[in-house]
Amino acid sequence: MERGFQPLARGLATAGITPNQITIAGAAITLISAGFVVAGDLVTGGIIFILAGTLDTLDGTLARATGTASVRGAFIDSTLDRVSEGAMFGALTFYFAARDEPANAAMVVVALLGSVLVSYTRARAEALGIECSTGLATRGERVLVLGLGMIFGWAAIAIYILAVTSAYTAIQRISTVLRGLAAPDIEPKE
């Protein structure tokens, strides 16, 4: 998918647009999307959410295409990704609670926890020097499932799918990290 964004990234670079500007715009657009969800318009919220998710791919493509990828940019991107997900999940919790659907509202919280764990396990693994991008429910997949679920009237189903797949992905990543850390830090005593 990134390859398809390369011509657009080159155009943005020519126009003087920076990866961090794209990251910030994506987060702002997600907040607008969450506003539509709170107002009860899931279709518009879903369409805008997918657009914002597309910007999340574009910022990295732009950074690599312009040679401006940095630890600072990665930190801003990851942080705003969590803000964006939190805003959308918060909006969906409100949406379900306002419609007296407590089980669905509670499942949004479970899906949020799974989503955060997927991101956290990757970040922590990378801090330990272990590559850990495996898994079924990466950020792009989560955005797509949730956005399409809202557009097609399956928001509750999408949330349940995300709760399960995010938990599964977190377990996959934990397993990957534990295998990567298999060598003991301290030699066992004989």
Side-chain angles (χ1 to χ4, degrees):
M1 184 158 133
E2 183 172 321
R3 181 174 283 188
F5 283 122
Q6 289 175 347
L8 179 57
R10 285 192 293 274
L12 291 170
T14 301
I17 305 294
T18 68
N20 285 341
Q21 288 170 330
I22 298 293
T23 299
I24 292 166
I29 291 169
T30 298
L31 294 176
I32 292 167
S33 171
F36 278 98
V37 171
V38 167
D41 186 352
L42 293 186
V43 173
T44 303
I47 292 168
I48 295 172
F49 186 59
I50 289 175
L51 171 64
T54 302
L55 291 178
D56 190 45
T57 300
L58 183 58
D59 61 0
T61 304
L62 179 59
R64 286 182 285 284
T66 58
T68 58
S70 68
V71 174
R72 183 176 187 266
F75 174 77
I76 291 168
D77 181 52
S78 294
T79 301
L80 289 181
D81 284 351
R82 302 299 75 74
V83 169
S84 295
E85 283 185 314
M88 182 52 66
F89 283 123
L92 283 164
T93 301
F94 177 86
Y95 174 84
F96 288 123
R99 281 153 186 76
D100 199 29
E101 299 178 33
N104 290 339
M107 192 54 64
V108 173
V109 175
V110 173
L112 173 60
L113 176 60
S115 177
V116 169
L117 278 172
V118 167
S119 300
Y120 174 79
T121 52
R122 179 177 179 174
R124 188 66 182 122
E126 289 174 355
L128 295 170
I130 299 168
E131 173 62 33
C132 187
S133 58
T134 61
L136 180 63
T138 62
R139 169 115 166 105
E141 286 81 8
R142 293 190 310 267
V143 168
L144 192 59
V145 167
L146 189 54
L148 290 175
M150 290 189 292
I151 291 167
F152 291 107
W154 305 323
I157 293 169
I159 288 298
Y160 282 79
I161 290 170
L162 288 178
V164 171
T165 58
S166 293
Y168 179 75
T169 301
I171 291 167
Q172 282 181 303
R173 289 185 175 187
I174 290 167
S175 177
T176 297
V177 172
L178 292 176
R179 281 194 308 275
L181 297 173
D185 293 334
I186 301 172
E187 292 292 323
K189 294 183 180 180
E190 295 183 358

